[in-house]
Amino acid sequence: MTVCAIEITMTARFTIAADGSYAARLAGDGEARYPERWTLAGPEPYAVPLPLGQPEEADSEVLALADGRVLIHRRVAERHAFALLYPTGGAGAGPRTGELPLGSVAPEADGVRVSLLPPSPDGCSAFALAASDTGTTVWQVAGGPFGPVARVPGRCTGGVWLDRTGRLLSLDRELGGTTKAVAVDLGRGGEVSPLLQIADGSDDRLLLADPDSGLLLIRSDAPGEPRLGWGVLGSSRPVRFPECLRGAAGVPFAVQPGQALMPETCGVAIRLEDGGGTPGGSWGRIGLWRPADRHVFRLPAPEGWFGTGVWSREGRLHLPYATPEVPCGITGLTLPVSPPPPVRLDPPAPAVPRPVPLQQAPLR
């Protein structure tokens, strides 16, 4: 499964583990918030609350790992503390929550924003960004020695994994008045290389990537206005900005995996922000699209949808939601069938993938 965790608001964030087995969110309201783990691998989803001695702050972040533990990021005074939570309990003791402290990040200056990156593809590691105007540090906070693993000049946001090992990370870097996506190689001490260079003065952000096909979902103002576009990692062909996506106010959140060398046939799910959603609430519509299609299928979202989901290799989009009647629910959508497009095969990626900058994009 290909997973993309979208940060909707801090209080409504719902993350899905890299293999789709577990998910986590900060449940509750007001001053009674607590982490909650969802199990997705069985025939029916179910939720396990993970409360501790006191409620969590509304700005705490949670992230699901593939082993069933939940990483939590809390702000404690001037520090940012990280810990792993997991359910415990003996005979007759009832469910309880265990906690394993991992370490903390203490920003050295004002204006540093610390936030979790999406779940690592390896399922067990977790990383965080400490971003300021002068530079951004990537911290490993779980799955290895706690500490900084990369330093990138400029303020970075976003965070998209480019491979299935958790080695290549894309960040949107603001530097010199423009924002460009760069690739950070965590296996080479944080080596930084250009990823998106569509036009000299354009803002080029990477929103989503699929390692199987190399499909990249991009937002850029190179065509004269911010537009959704797509390209292929390692390809010499330019970024394309389909007319059917023009004016679409939305964020892609999941790509159908398993489409090796066929990026045009990958299903893409888009959270449509013009669908009547409210911050911290649910969104009204979902867009389903393939790069080979010339239109976007717009479908109603389930009530209480969290704005994210995971696409199976079989082509089924799984959407998590919660309502008073169904506190832990999953519903599925299938992309309507379109005529199969001609298949174009790109050259295979090298054994150790190195991002290749995408070339000049056409403006029409």
Side-chain angles (χ1 to χ4, degrees):
M1 294 186 176
T2 295
V3 179
C4 178
I6 299 294
E7 184 173 348
I8 304 163
T9 65
M10 191 67 73
T11 59
R13 178 166 177 162
F14 187 101
T15 64
I16 304 174
D19 63 353
S21 56
Y22 294 97
R25 68 164 178 150
L26 196 64
D29 297 303
E31 297 181 357
R33 300 183 185 274
Y34 57 91
E36 184 178 76
R37 187 193 72 185
W38 288 31
T39 299
L40 307 179
E44 295 291 337
Y46 64 92
V48 175
L50 296 173
L52 290 167
Q54 62 184 27
E56 303 293 344
E57 297 292 335
D59 61 352
S60 297
E61 293 182 287
V62 292
L63 185 147
L65 301 182
D67 62 4
R69 294 183 294 179
V70 173
L71 175 74
I72 187 166
H73 162 215
R74 307 181 180 102
R75 181 157 186 168
V76 181
E78 299 302 318
R79 298 181 299 107
H80 294 262
F82 299 86
L84 289 174
L85 307 180
Y86 50 93
T88 64
R96 297 188 180 183
T97 303
E99 181 175 11
L100 176 63
L102 298 172
S104 63
V105 176
E108 298 178 354
D110 295 335
V112 177
R113 183 177 185 272
V114 179
S115 59
L116 287 175
L117 286 167
S120 172
D122 67 6
C124 61
S125 302
F127 298 84
L129 286 185
S132 69
D133 291 336
T134 57
T136 299
T137 302
V138 180
W139 286 73
Q140 182 159 6
V141 296
F146 190 99
V149 293
R151 176 72 176 175
V152 182
R155 179 178 288 274
C156 294
T157 56
V160 176
W161 296 100
L162 299 174
D163 65 348
R164 293 205 175 278
T165 66
R167 172 177 173 175
L168 294 178
L169 173 68
S170 171
L171 297 173
D172 298 331
R173 177 173 67 175
E174 181 183 350
L175 194 64
T178 60
T179 300
K180 302 284 188 184
V182 297
V184 182
D185 191 337
L186 302 183
R188 292 193 175 189
E191 178 181 294
V192 179
S193 58
L195 181 62
L196 297 180
Q197 297 281 356
I198 300 177
D200 289 340
S202 62
D203 290 329
D204 309 322
R205 294 176 171 87
L206 181 61
L207 305 179
L208 203 55
D210 174 56
D212 292 340
S213 63
L215 178 65
L216 305 179
L217 279 303
I218 295 157
R219 186 179 298 279
S220 173
D221 59 6
E225 60 181 347
R227 295 270 300 272
L228 286 176
W230 68 281
V232 180
L233 185 66
S235 172
S236 60
R237 298 190 65 181
V239 175
R240 278 139 282 184
F241 296 93
E243 192 65 24
C244 65
L245 295 180
R246 186 169 190 168
V251 177
F253 62 86
V255 176
Q256 180 184 355
Q259 307 296 96
L261 301 180
M262 296 188 297
E264 293 91 344
T265 66
C266 289
V268 178
I270 304 172
R271 190 180 77 243
L272 297 176
E273 297 179 346
D274 60 348
T278 57
S282 62
W283 277 256
R285 288 192 294 169
I286 296 171
L288 300 181
W289 168 79
R290 293 185 188 93
D293 292 339
R294 296 185 178 180
H295 60 278
V296 179
F297 296 97
R298 299 173 186 268
L299 303 174
E303 180 185 356
W305 176 48
F306 291 113
T308 188
V310 59
W311 215 318
S312 72
R313 291 180 178 270
E314 293 74 30
R316 189 75 169 167
L317 178 63
H318 300 278
L319 305 171
Y321 69 95
T323 65
E325 297 77 20
V326 184
C328 177
I330 296 288
T331 190
L333 293 177
T334 301
L335 184 62
V337 176
S338 297
V343 176
R344 175 184 57 80
L345 299 181
D346 281 354
V352 178
R354 299 294 300 160
V356 176
L358 298 172
Q359 303 302 313
Q360 177 73 29
L363 300 186
R364 59 178 179 175

